[in-house]
Amino acid sequence: MNERSPQHLYRKLPSVDRVLSDPAAATLVDRYGATLTTAAIRALLDEAREYIKNRNTLPEWLPLIKLLARADARLDAQNQISLRPVFNLTGVVLHTNLGRARLADAAIDAATRVMREAVTLEYSLGAQSRGHRDAAVSELLRVLTGGEAACVVNNNAAAVLLMFAAIADDKEAIASRGELIEIGGSFRIPDVMRQAGCRLVEVGTTNRTHLEDYRNAINENTALMVKVHTSNYKIQGFTASVSEAELAALGRETGVPVAADLGSGTLIEFSDYGLTHETTPQELLRAGVDLVSFSGDKLLGGPQAGIVVGRAALIERLQKHPLKRALRCDKTTLAALEATLRLYLRPDNLAETLPTLRYLTRRVSDICADVERLLTVCRAYYGRTYIVESETCLSQIGSGSLPLDTLPSRALTFAARDGSGRTLECLSERWHVLPKPIIGRIQDAKLWLDLRALDDGDELERALIAAAES
Ligand SMILES: *Cc1c(COP(=O)(O)O)cnc(C)c1O
Protein backbone atom coordinates (compact mmCIF):
# COMPACT_ATOMS: atom_id res chain seq x y z
CA MET A 1 0.00 0.00 0.00
CA ASN A 2 1.18 3.50 -0.87
CA GLU A 3 2.71 5.16 2.19
CA ARG A 4 1.28 8.54 1.07
CA SER A 5 -2.26 7.38 0.41
CA PRO A 6 -4.96 9.21 2.35
CA GLN A 7 -6.26 5.88 3.72
CA HIS A 8 -2.97 5.39 5.43
CA LEU A 9 -3.10 8.93 6.87
CA TYR A 10 -6.68 8.61 8.10
CA ARG A 11 -5.64 5.50 10.01
CA LYS A 12 -3.10 7.56 11.92
CA LEU A 13 -5.90 9.66 13.47
CA PRO A 14 -6.68 8.60 17.04
CA SER A 15 -10.26 7.81 18.06
CA VAL A 16 -12.15 10.25 20.27
CA ASP A 17 -11.94 7.73 23.10
CA ARG A 18 -8.20 7.38 22.69
CA VAL A 19 -7.77 11.16 22.97
CA LEU A 20 -10.10 11.32 25.97
CA SER A 21 -8.13 8.63 27.81
CA ASP A 22 -5.00 10.81 27.75
CA PRO A 23 -4.22 12.32 31.20
CA ALA A 24 -4.06 15.81 29.63
CA ALA A 25 -7.64 15.36 28.41
CA ALA A 26 -8.75 14.70 31.99
CA THR A 27 -7.58 18.20 32.92
CA LEU A 28 -9.76 19.63 30.14
CA VAL A 29 -12.75 17.56 31.30
CA ASP A 30 -12.22 18.90 34.81
CA ARG A 31 -12.08 22.46 33.60
CA TYR A 32 -14.78 22.54 30.91
CA GLY A 33 -16.92 19.44 31.49
CA ALA A 34 -17.12 16.20 29.48
CA THR A 35 -19.74 17.35 26.96
CA LEU A 36 -17.85 20.42 25.71
CA THR A 37 -14.47 18.69 25.79
CA THR A 38 -15.72 15.70 23.76
CA ALA A 39 -17.37 18.01 21.24
CA ALA A 40 -14.17 20.04 20.84
CA ILE A 41 -12.05 16.93 20.28
CA ARG A 42 -14.56 15.51 17.80
CA ALA A 43 -14.56 18.81 15.89
CA LEU A 44 -10.75 18.85 15.74
CA LEU A 45 -10.63 15.27 14.44
CA ASP A 46 -13.18 16.23 11.77
CA GLU A 47 -10.95 19.13 10.80
CA ALA A 48 -7.96 16.80 10.62
CA ARG A 49 -9.89 14.52 8.21
CA GLU A 50 -10.81 17.54 6.09
CA TYR A 51 -7.14 18.60 6.11
CA ILE A 52 -5.97 15.19 4.92
CA LYS A 53 -8.60 15.15 2.18
CA ASN A 54 -7.48 18.54 0.85
CA ARG A 55 -3.72 18.32 1.27
CA ASN A 56 -2.91 14.63 1.49
CA THR A 57 -0.81 15.18 4.60
CA LEU A 58 -1.31 15.25 8.36
CA PRO A 59 -1.84 18.65 10.02
CA GLU A 60 1.17 19.78 12.05
CA TRP A 61 -1.04 19.96 15.18
CA LEU A 62 -1.89 16.30 15.11
CA PRO A 63 0.38 14.84 17.76
CA LEU A 64 -1.86 14.28 20.77
CA ILE A 65 -0.18 16.87 22.94
CA LYS A 66 -0.64 19.58 20.29
CA LEU A 67 -4.20 18.54 19.54
CA LEU A 68 -5.11 18.84 23.21
CA ALA A 69 -3.43 22.25 23.47
CA ARG A 70 -5.49 23.36 20.49
CA ALA A 71 -8.65 22.02 22.12
CA ASP A 72 -7.73 23.87 25.32
CA ALA A 73 -7.34 27.20 23.49
CA ARG A 74 -10.71 26.74 21.78
CA LEU A 75 -12.54 25.70 24.92
CA ASP A 76 -11.03 28.62 26.80
CA ALA A 77 -12.25 31.05 24.13
CA GLN A 78 -15.75 29.48 24.22
CA ASN A 79 -15.74 29.66 28.01
CA GLN A 80 -15.46 33.46 28.09
CA ILE A 81 -18.60 35.36 29.06
CA SER A 82 -19.73 36.77 25.75
CA LEU A 83 -20.27 40.28 27.14
CA ARG A 84 -16.64 41.40 26.99
CA PRO A 85 -15.35 44.56 28.66
CA VAL A 86 -13.86 46.94 26.07
CA PHE A 87 -12.11 50.31 25.94
CA ASN A 88 -14.76 52.69 24.61
CA LEU A 89 -12.58 55.13 22.71
CA THR A 90 -15.22 55.80 20.05
CA GLY A 91 -15.75 59.34 21.26
CA VAL A 92 -19.40 58.54 22.00
CA VAL A 93 -19.72 58.67 25.77
CA LEU A 94 -23.12 56.95 26.09
CA HIS A 95 -22.72 54.35 23.33
CA THR A 96 -25.86 52.21 23.15
CA ASN A 97 -24.04 49.32 21.46
CA LEU A 98 -21.37 49.41 24.18
CA GLY A 99 -23.85 49.35 27.05
CA ARG A 100 -24.41 53.10 27.66
CA ALA A 101 -23.66 54.37 31.18
CA ARG A 102 -20.90 52.83 33.25
CA LEU A 103 -22.14 52.68 36.80
CA ALA A 104 -20.83 54.54 39.81
CA ASP A 105 -18.94 52.48 42.40
CA ALA A 106 -21.76 53.07 44.89
CA ALA A 107 -24.26 51.61 42.41
CA ILE A 108 -22.05 48.59 41.69
CA ASP A 109 -21.63 47.90 45.42
CA ALA A 110 -25.37 48.21 46.05
CA ALA A 111 -26.18 45.91 43.13
CA THR A 112 -23.68 43.19 44.10
CA ARG A 113 -24.86 43.23 47.71
CA VAL A 114 -28.51 42.58 46.81
CA MET A 115 -27.55 39.97 44.21
CA ARG A 116 -25.97 37.89 46.95
CA GLU A 117 -28.63 38.28 49.64
CA ALA A 118 -32.35 38.04 50.26
CA VAL A 119 -33.60 41.64 50.47
CA THR A 120 -36.64 43.65 51.54
CA LEU A 121 -37.79 44.08 47.95
CA GLU A 122 -41.50 44.09 48.74
CA TYR A 123 -41.34 43.52 52.45
CA SER A 124 -41.82 46.22 55.05
CA LEU A 125 -39.96 45.77 58.31
CA GLY A 126 -42.30 47.15 60.95
CA ALA A 127 -45.29 48.39 58.99
CA GLN A 128 -48.17 45.96 58.41
CA SER A 129 -48.69 46.46 54.71
CA ARG A 130 -46.62 44.77 52.02
CA GLY A 131 -43.96 47.21 50.89
CA HIS A 132 -43.83 48.47 47.33
CA ARG A 133 -40.81 47.57 45.17
CA ASP A 134 -40.48 51.10 43.74
CA ALA A 135 -41.02 52.76 47.14
CA ALA A 136 -37.43 53.70 48.04
CA VAL A 137 -36.61 54.97 44.56
CA SER A 138 -39.94 56.74 44.40
CA GLU A 139 -39.21 58.63 47.63
CA LEU A 140 -35.79 59.74 46.32
CA LEU A 141 -37.27 60.82 43.00
CA ARG A 142 -39.91 62.82 44.87
CA VAL A 143 -37.17 64.75 46.64
CA LEU A 144 -35.02 65.16 43.52
CA THR A 145 -37.69 66.04 40.93
CA GLY A 146 -40.61 67.40 42.92
CA GLY A 147 -42.91 64.78 41.37
CA GLU A 148 -45.54 63.36 43.76
CA ALA A 149 -44.69 59.73 42.97
CA ALA A 150 -42.68 57.53 40.60
CA CYS A 151 -42.90 54.26 38.73
CA VAL A 152 -39.84 52.34 37.54
CA VAL A 153 -39.72 49.84 34.67
CA ASN A 154 -37.06 48.17 32.51
CA ASN A 155 -36.30 51.02 30.12
CA ASN A 156 -37.79 54.24 28.87
CA ALA A 157 -39.41 52.51 25.90
CA ALA A 158 -41.34 50.41 28.42
CA ALA A 159 -42.16 53.54 30.44
CA VAL A 160 -43.68 55.23 27.38
CA LEU A 161 -45.65 52.09 26.50
CA LEU A 162 -46.96 51.85 30.06
CA MET A 163 -47.99 55.52 30.15
CA PHE A 164 -50.00 55.14 26.94
CA ALA A 165 -51.54 51.82 28.02
CA ALA A 166 -52.48 52.91 31.54
CA ILE A 167 -53.81 56.37 30.69
CA ALA A 168 -55.13 56.15 27.12
CA ASP A 169 -56.07 52.51 26.43
CA ASP A 170 -59.01 52.45 23.98
CA LYS A 171 -58.94 56.25 23.96
CA GLU A 172 -57.30 59.00 21.94
CA ALA A 173 -53.87 60.52 22.54
CA ILE A 174 -52.94 63.76 20.81
CA ALA A 175 -49.41 64.35 19.54
CA SER A 176 -47.77 66.86 17.20
CA ARG A 177 -46.70 65.67 13.72
CA GLY A 178 -43.33 67.28 14.45
CA GLU A 179 -42.70 64.92 17.37
CA LEU A 180 -43.66 61.49 16.01
CA ILE A 181 -40.13 60.28 16.42
CA GLU A 182 -38.29 57.09 15.67
CA ILE A 183 -35.31 56.29 17.85
CA GLY A 184 -33.07 53.28 17.17
CA GLY A 185 -34.32 49.71 17.33
CA SER A 186 -37.73 50.28 15.71
CA PHE A 187 -39.13 52.36 18.56
CA ARG A 188 -41.63 54.66 16.82
CA ILE A 189 -44.13 56.68 18.80
CA PRO A 190 -47.13 55.81 16.53
CA ASP A 191 -46.29 52.07 16.76
CA VAL A 192 -45.90 52.20 20.52
CA MET A 193 -49.31 53.88 20.81
CA ARG A 194 -50.87 51.18 18.67
CA GLN A 195 -49.29 48.49 20.85
CA ALA A 196 -50.68 50.24 23.93
CA GLY A 197 -54.15 50.15 22.42
CA CYS A 198 -54.57 53.89 22.09
CA ARG A 199 -55.53 55.88 19.00
CA LEU A 200 -53.03 58.49 17.86
CA VAL A 201 -54.54 61.80 16.85
CA GLU A 202 -51.91 63.73 14.91
CA VAL A 203 -52.10 67.50 14.98
CA GLY A 204 -50.21 70.34 13.30
CA THR A 205 -47.65 69.82 10.56
CA THR A 206 -44.07 68.60 10.48
CA ASN A 207 -42.66 72.08 11.06
CA ARG A 208 -45.45 73.96 12.83
CA THR A 209 -47.93 73.02 15.53
CA HIS A 210 -50.02 75.54 17.51
CA LEU A 211 -51.92 75.37 20.77
CA GLU A 212 -55.21 75.68 18.83
CA ASP A 213 -54.34 72.46 16.97
CA TYR A 214 -54.38 70.55 20.25
CA ARG A 215 -57.48 72.39 21.51
CA ASN A 216 -59.44 71.61 18.32
CA ALA A 217 -58.55 67.91 18.54
CA ILE A 218 -59.88 67.44 22.07
CA ASN A 219 -63.18 65.57 22.35
CA GLU A 220 -64.88 63.24 24.84
CA ASN A 221 -62.57 60.38 23.79
CA THR A 222 -59.34 62.27 24.48
CA ALA A 223 -57.39 60.74 27.34
CA LEU A 224 -53.91 62.20 26.92
CA MET A 225 -51.82 64.91 25.27
CA VAL A 226 -48.24 63.93 24.56
CA LYS A 227 -44.99 65.88 24.20
CA VAL A 228 -41.98 63.97 22.88
CA HIS A 229 -38.49 65.32 23.32
CA THR A 230 -36.99 65.29 19.82
CA SER A 231 -33.60 64.38 21.14
CA ASN A 232 -31.95 62.99 18.02
CA TYR A 233 -32.86 65.61 15.39
CA LYS A 234 -33.78 69.25 15.05
CA ILE A 235 -36.37 71.00 12.92
CA GLN A 236 -35.02 74.38 11.91
CA GLY A 237 -36.30 77.35 9.94
CA PHE A 238 -40.02 78.31 9.80
CA THR A 239 -41.10 76.39 12.87
CA ALA A 240 -43.51 76.59 15.78
CA SER A 241 -44.18 74.19 18.58
CA VAL A 242 -46.18 74.34 21.77
CA SER A 243 -44.21 74.48 25.01
CA GLU A 244 -44.87 72.00 27.79
CA ALA A 245 -46.14 74.86 29.97
CA GLU A 246 -48.71 75.99 27.38
CA LEU A 247 -49.86 72.41 26.82
CA ALA A 248 -50.09 71.82 30.57
CA ALA A 249 -52.27 74.94 30.94
CA LEU A 250 -54.58 73.64 28.20
CA GLY A 251 -54.61 70.28 29.97
CA ARG A 252 -55.72 71.85 33.24
CA GLU A 253 -58.39 73.89 31.47
CA THR A 254 -59.82 70.85 29.65
CA GLY A 255 -59.10 68.15 32.23
CA VAL A 256 -56.84 66.18 29.85
CA PRO A 257 -53.55 64.94 31.38
CA VAL A 258 -50.27 65.82 29.66
CA ALA A 259 -47.38 63.33 29.42
CA ALA A 260 -43.85 64.04 28.22
CA ASP A 261 -41.29 61.53 26.95
CA LEU A 262 -38.06 63.27 27.85
CA GLY A 263 -35.62 60.56 26.70
CA SER A 264 -32.37 61.46 28.44
CA GLY A 265 -33.15 62.62 31.95
CA THR A 266 -30.50 64.51 33.81
CA LEU A 267 -31.46 65.78 37.24
CA ILE A 268 -28.85 68.53 37.37
CA GLU A 269 -28.47 71.87 35.61
CA PHE A 270 -25.97 71.00 32.86
CA SER A 271 -24.91 74.61 32.34
CA ASP A 272 -23.56 74.64 35.92
CA TYR A 273 -21.03 72.07 34.65
CA GLY A 274 -20.10 73.96 31.50
CA LEU A 275 -22.35 71.79 29.31
CA THR A 276 -25.30 72.76 27.11
CA HIS A 277 -28.54 73.02 29.07
CA GLU A 278 -30.66 69.85 28.94
CA THR A 279 -34.32 69.87 29.86
CA THR A 280 -34.81 68.25 33.28
CA PRO A 281 -37.84 66.34 34.57
CA GLN A 282 -38.20 68.86 37.42
CA GLU A 283 -38.46 71.68 34.86
CA LEU A 284 -41.31 69.92 33.06
CA LEU A 285 -43.11 69.07 36.29
CA ARG A 286 -42.83 72.71 37.40
CA ALA A 287 -44.29 73.68 34.02
CA GLY A 288 -47.33 71.59 34.99
CA VAL A 289 -46.75 68.41 32.97
CA ASP A 290 -48.53 65.52 34.70
CA LEU A 291 -46.19 62.63 33.79
CA VAL A 292 -42.57 62.73 32.65
CA SER A 293 -40.62 59.66 31.53
CA PHE A 294 -36.86 59.26 31.04
CA SER A 295 -34.07 56.67 30.87
CA GLY A 296 -31.95 55.43 33.77
CA ASP A 297 -28.84 54.72 31.69
CA LYS A 298 -28.55 57.85 29.57
CA LEU A 299 -27.53 61.15 31.17
CA LEU A 300 -28.71 59.98 34.59
CA GLY A 301 -25.73 57.60 34.52
CA GLY A 302 -27.42 54.65 36.21
CA PRO A 303 -28.60 51.16 35.24
CA GLN A 304 -30.94 50.49 32.33
CA ALA A 305 -34.36 51.57 33.56
CA GLY A 306 -37.35 53.67 32.59
CA ILE A 307 -38.58 56.18 35.13
CA VAL A 308 -41.93 57.95 35.23
CA VAL A 309 -42.46 60.77 37.70
CA GLY A 310 -45.55 62.89 38.21
CA ARG A 311 -49.02 63.05 39.74
CA ALA A 312 -49.73 60.42 42.37
CA ALA A 313 -53.17 59.52 40.98
CA LEU A 314 -51.78 58.85 37.50
CA ILE A 315 -48.70 57.01 38.79
CA GLU A 316 -51.12 54.82 40.78
CA ARG A 317 -52.79 53.82 37.49
CA LEU A 318 -49.38 52.89 36.05
CA GLN A 319 -48.52 50.85 39.16
CA LYS A 320 -51.86 48.96 39.02
CA HIS A 321 -51.76 48.21 35.30
CA PRO A 322 -51.09 44.52 34.41
CA LEU A 323 -48.25 45.60 32.09
CA LYS A 324 -46.36 46.99 35.11
CA ARG A 325 -46.02 43.43 36.38
CA ALA A 326 -44.45 42.42 33.07
CA LEU A 327 -42.16 45.44 32.88
CA ARG A 328 -41.07 45.79 36.49
CA CYS A 329 -37.38 45.96 37.47
CA ASP A 330 -35.52 43.37 39.49
CA LYS A 331 -33.80 44.00 42.83
CA THR A 332 -30.40 44.51 41.19
CA THR A 333 -31.57 47.35 38.98
CA LEU A 334 -33.53 48.97 41.78
CA ALA A 335 -30.55 48.86 44.14
CA ALA A 336 -28.20 50.33 41.51
CA LEU A 337 -30.73 53.00 40.62
CA GLU A 338 -31.31 53.95 44.24
CA ALA A 339 -27.56 54.23 44.89
CA THR A 340 -27.14 56.34 41.73
CA LEU A 341 -29.97 58.68 42.75
CA ARG A 342 -28.44 59.08 46.22
CA LEU A 343 -25.33 60.56 44.58
CA TYR A 344 -27.56 63.36 43.27
CA LEU A 345 -28.35 64.34 46.86
CA ARG A 346 -24.73 65.51 47.03
CA PRO A 347 -24.34 67.25 43.67
CA ASP A 348 -21.15 69.09 44.69
CA ASN A 349 -18.92 66.08 43.97
CA LEU A 350 -21.14 64.40 41.37
CA ALA A 351 -18.56 65.07 38.63
CA GLU A 352 -16.23 62.68 40.46
CA THR A 353 -18.67 60.07 41.73
CA LEU A 354 -20.76 59.63 38.57
CA PRO A 355 -18.67 58.26 35.66
CA THR A 356 -20.97 59.62 32.93
CA LEU A 357 -20.69 63.16 34.29
CA ARG A 358 -16.98 62.68 34.85
CA TYR A 359 -16.43 61.85 31.16
CA LEU A 360 -18.72 64.64 29.96
CA THR A 361 -16.96 67.26 32.08
CA ARG A 362 -13.35 66.11 31.61
CA ARG A 363 -11.09 69.05 30.79
CA VAL A 364 -9.49 68.91 27.35
CA SER A 365 -6.11 69.57 29.00
CA ASP A 366 -6.58 66.35 31.01
CA ILE A 367 -7.42 64.34 27.91
CA CYS A 368 -4.44 65.94 26.13
CA ALA A 369 -2.11 64.81 28.90
CA ASP A 370 -3.25 61.18 28.39
CA VAL A 371 -2.81 61.50 24.62
CA GLU A 372 0.66 63.00 24.88
CA ARG A 373 1.86 60.30 27.23
CA LEU A 374 0.63 57.49 24.98
CA LEU A 375 1.87 59.20 21.82
CA THR A 376 5.52 58.33 22.53
CA VAL A 377 4.71 54.67 23.24
CA CYS A 378 2.48 54.39 20.17
CA ARG A 379 5.10 55.93 17.88
CA ALA A 380 7.69 53.49 19.24
CA TYR A 381 5.50 50.43 18.73
CA TYR A 382 3.42 51.39 15.68
CA GLY A 383 5.50 54.09 13.98
CA ARG A 384 6.97 51.81 11.33
CA THR A 385 3.61 51.06 9.71
CA TYR A 386 1.49 53.96 10.92
CA ILE A 387 1.79 57.71 11.28
CA VAL A 388 0.68 58.37 14.84
CA GLU A 389 -0.50 61.88 15.77
CA SER A 390 -2.28 63.75 18.53
CA GLU A 391 -5.30 65.54 17.02
CA THR A 392 -8.25 67.55 18.24
CA CYS A 393 -11.64 65.94 17.74
CA LEU A 394 -15.24 66.21 18.88
CA SER A 395 -16.83 63.73 21.30
CA GLN A 396 -20.55 63.05 21.27
CA ILE A 397 -22.79 62.53 24.27
CA GLY A 398 -24.63 59.72 22.46
CA SER A 399 -27.82 57.77 23.22
CA GLY A 400 -30.07 60.01 21.23
CA SER A 401 -28.65 63.25 22.58
CA LEU A 402 -28.25 65.74 19.78
CA PRO A 403 -25.51 64.54 17.42
CA LEU A 404 -24.89 68.27 16.90
CA ASP A 405 -24.10 68.73 20.59
CA THR A 406 -20.41 67.92 20.70
CA LEU A 407 -17.58 68.32 23.19
CA PRO A 408 -14.06 69.35 22.16
CA SER A 409 -11.68 66.46 22.83
CA ARG A 410 -8.34 64.94 21.87
CA ALA A 411 -7.48 61.71 20.09
CA LEU A 412 -4.55 59.52 19.10
CA THR A 413 -4.82 59.02 15.34
CA PHE A 414 -3.25 56.28 13.26
CA ALA A 415 -2.84 56.62 9.48
CA ALA A 416 -1.37 53.82 7.35
CA ARG A 417 1.99 54.82 5.90
CA ASP A 418 1.17 52.87 2.73
CA GLY A 419 -2.18 54.70 2.53
CA SER A 420 -4.07 51.39 2.25
CA GLY A 421 -7.48 50.99 3.84
CA ARG A 422 -6.64 47.33 4.42
CA THR A 423 -3.61 48.26 6.56
CA LEU A 424 -5.85 50.47 8.69
CA GLU A 425 -8.49 47.75 9.08
CA CYS A 426 -5.73 45.33 10.12
CA LEU A 427 -4.95 47.59 13.05
CA SER A 428 -8.55 47.79 14.16
CA GLU A 429 -8.89 44.00 13.82
CA ARG A 430 -5.76 43.44 15.88
CA TRP A 431 -7.20 45.61 18.66
CA HIS A 432 -10.54 43.81 18.47
CA VAL A 433 -9.03 40.42 19.34
CA LEU A 434 -7.33 41.66 22.53
CA PRO A 435 -8.57 40.18 25.83
CA LYS A 436 -10.04 43.67 26.43
CA PRO A 437 -10.64 44.99 22.92
CA ILE A 438 -9.87 48.62 22.03
CA ILE A 439 -12.73 50.20 20.10
CA GLY A 440 -11.99 53.38 18.17
CA ARG A 441 -13.54 54.80 15.02
CA ILE A 442 -12.32 55.02 11.43
CA GLN A 443 -12.79 58.42 9.83
CA ASP A 444 -10.94 60.31 7.08
CA ALA A 445 -8.63 57.32 6.45
CA LYS A 446 -7.45 57.33 10.06
CA LEU A 447 -8.19 55.27 13.10
CA TRP A 448 -9.15 57.59 15.97
CA LEU A 449 -8.87 56.81 19.67
CA ASP A 450 -10.73 59.57 21.54
CA LEU A 451 -9.46 59.32 25.12
CA ARG A 452 -12.34 61.23 26.76
CA ALA A 453 -13.93 58.14 28.32
CA LEU A 454 -10.65 56.50 29.32
CA ASP A 455 -10.33 55.55 32.99
CA ASP A 456 -6.90 54.00 33.18
CA GLY A 457 -4.13 55.18 30.84
CA ASP A 458 -1.70 52.54 32.11
CA GLU A 459 -4.10 49.74 31.28
CA LEU A 460 -4.55 51.11 27.75
CA GLU A 461 -0.79 51.46 27.35
CA ARG A 462 -0.29 47.80 28.28
CA ALA A 463 -3.03 46.73 25.84
CA LEU A 464 -1.54 48.79 22.99
CA ILE A 465 1.90 47.28 23.60
CA ALA A 466 0.49 43.74 23.83
CA ALA A 467 -1.33 44.21 20.52
CA ALA A 468 1.80 45.58 18.81
CA GLU A 469 3.88 42.65 20.03
CA SER A 470 1.37 39.96 19.08
C1 LIG B 1 -33.82 56.99 24.34
C2 LIG B 1 -35.22 57.41 24.18
C3 LIG B 1 -36.26 56.51 24.40
C4 LIG B 1 -36.03 55.06 24.75
O1 LIG B 1 -35.37 54.93 25.96
P1 LIG B 1 -34.69 53.52 26.37
O2 LIG B 1 -34.28 53.72 27.78
O3 LIG B 1 -33.57 53.33 25.42
O4 LIG B 1 -35.73 52.48 26.21
C5 LIG B 1 -37.55 56.96 24.22
N1 LIG B 1 -37.79 58.24 23.89
C6 LIG B 1 -36.80 59.15 23.69
C7 LIG B 1 -37.16 60.54 23.32
C8 LIG B 1 -35.48 58.76 23.81
O5 LIG B 1 -34.50 59.65 23.61
Side-chain angles (χ1 to χ4, degrees), residues 344-403:
Y344 281 86
L345 296 174
R346 300 184 49 207
D348 24 313
N349 57 359
L350 200 60
E352 286 114 65
T353 54
L354 195 71
T356 299
L357 194 60
R358 186 163 76 233
Y359 305 136
L360 293 178
T361 57
R362 260 191 94 188
R363 288 210 308 266
V364 182
S365 58
D366 261 15
I367 305 171
C368 266
D370 274 346
V371 170
E372 292 305 322
R373 205 167 59 78
L374 287 164
L375 189 60
T376 319
V377 178
C378 286
R379 282 188 171 149
Y381 281 87
Y382 292 91
R384 211 130 67 92
T385 319
Y386 302 94
I387 304 164
V388 190
E389 297 289 351
S390 155
E391 292 192 60
T392 57
C393 64
L394 295 170
S395 315
Q396 291 180 23
I397 296 173
S399 274
S401 297
L402 271 188

Side-chain angles (χ1 to χ4, degrees), residues 11 33 35 45 109 124 149 192 212 231 236 263 276 316 336 340 415 439:
R11 240 172 275 132
T35 311
L45 290 174
D109 291 346
S124 290
V192 177
E212 287 316 294
S231 45
Q236 281 172 329
T276 310
E316 183 72 11
T340 305
I439 319 278

Side-chain angles (χ1 to χ4, degrees), residues 100 155-158 160 181 183 187 228-229 231 261-264 295 297-298 305 399-400:
R100 291 194 187 161
N155 49 41
N156 187 39
V160 174
I181 61 158
I183 58 169
F187 178 92
V228 183
H229 192 61
S231 45
D261 170 14
L262 187 54
S264 249
S295 286
D297 57 350
K298 292 186 181 172
S399 274

Side-chain angles (χ1 to χ4, degrees), residues 52-317:
I52 294 168
K53 193 172 105 195
N54 295 332
R55 311 197 197 189
N56 210 19
T57 173
L58 287 169
E60 56 78 29
W61 46 265
L62 191 69
L64 216 50
I65 201 80
K66 284 194 176 176
L67 183 132
L68 284 166
R70 204 174 169 88
D72 192 6
R74 276 210 197 160
L75 286 162
D76 185 53
Q78 284 169 19
N79 212 30
Q80 303 288 328
I81 299 280
S82 56
L83 286 178
R84 309 255 301 280
V86 299
F87 292 95
N88 171 12
L89 307 182
T90 58
V92 180
V93 175
L94 294 168
H95 199 300
T96 297
N97 296 354
L98 298 179
R100 291 194 187 161
R102 287 143 77 178
L103 297 199
D105 288 337
I108 296 164
D109 291 346
T112 21
R113 207 172 324 122
V114 303
M115 285 167 98
R116 211 169 268 128
E117 310 271 2
V119 296
T120 54
L121 182 59
E122 296 190 349
Y123 189 93
S124 290
L125 298 167
Q128 241 75 39
S129 70
R130 185 174 185 241
H132 193 291
R133 79 167 51 207
D134 295 349
V137 166
S138 190
E139 177 55 26
L140 275 167
L141 284 164
R142 198 178 60 74
V143 173
L144 291 165
T145 68
E148 293 170 2
C151 177
V152 187
V153 288
N154 275 319
N155 49 41
N156 187 39
V160 174
L161 176 71
L162 182 59
M163 285 199 294
F164 290 153
I167 311 296
D169 174 32
D170 215 17
K171 290 268 172 61
E172 294 177 3
I174 306 173
S176 159
R177 290 197 168 90
E179 296 172 8
L180 298 176
I181 61 158
E182 170 178 314
I183 58 169
S186 71
F187 178 92
R188 293 171 151 192
I189 291 290
D191 297 343
V192 177
M193 284 200 187
R194 198 171 312 119
Q195 286 299 322
C198 72
R199 290 189 297 282
L200 166 64
V201 176
E202 299 178 22
V203 297
T205 60
T206 307
N207 58 331
R208 291 172 72 83
T209 303
H210 308 281
L211 191 60
E212 287 316 294
D213 295 326
Y214 289 93
R215 188 190 294 280
N216 293 337
I218 295 175
N219 62 47
E220 67 279 6
N221 288 318
T222 309
L224 194 63
M225 291 192 283
V226 182
K227 278 291 286 182
V228 183
H229 192 61
T230 56
S231 45
N232 54 3
Y233 72 99
K234 210 175 204 118
I235 299 181
Q236 281 172 329
F238 185 55
T239 65
S241 65
V242 177
S243 74
E244 280 85 358
E246 292 172 282
L247 202 59
L250 177 63
R252 274 195 303 279
E253 181 194 323
T254 55
V256 177
V258 173
D261 170 14
L262 187 54
S264 249
T266 176
L267 300 178
I268 49 172
E269 177 44 62
F270 258 31
S271 57
D272 289 350
Y273 293 83
L275 299 163
T276 310
H277 171 77
E278 278 278 341
T279 310
T280 61
Q282 48 269 42
E283 232 175 295
L284 296 185
L285 292 170
R286 268 201 307 274
V289 173
D290 300 288
L291 290 175
V292 180
S293 82
F294 54 98
S295 286
D297 57 350
K298 292 186 181 172
L299 290 177
L300 191 75
Q304 180 189 300
I307 298 163
V308 188
V309 288
R311 296 216 189 284
L314 296 173
I315 294 288
E316 183 72 11
R317 282 167 68 183

Side-chain angles (χ1 to χ4, degrees), residues 434-457:
L434 285 167
K436 180 170 168 178
I438 301 169
I439 319 278
R441 68 163 192 272
I442 291 183
Q443 193 185 313
D444 303 329
K446 288 176 194 163
L447 185 43
W448 298 68
L449 299 181
D450 179 341
L451 301 195
R452 170 174 294 280
L454 177 67
D455 272 334
D456 185 344

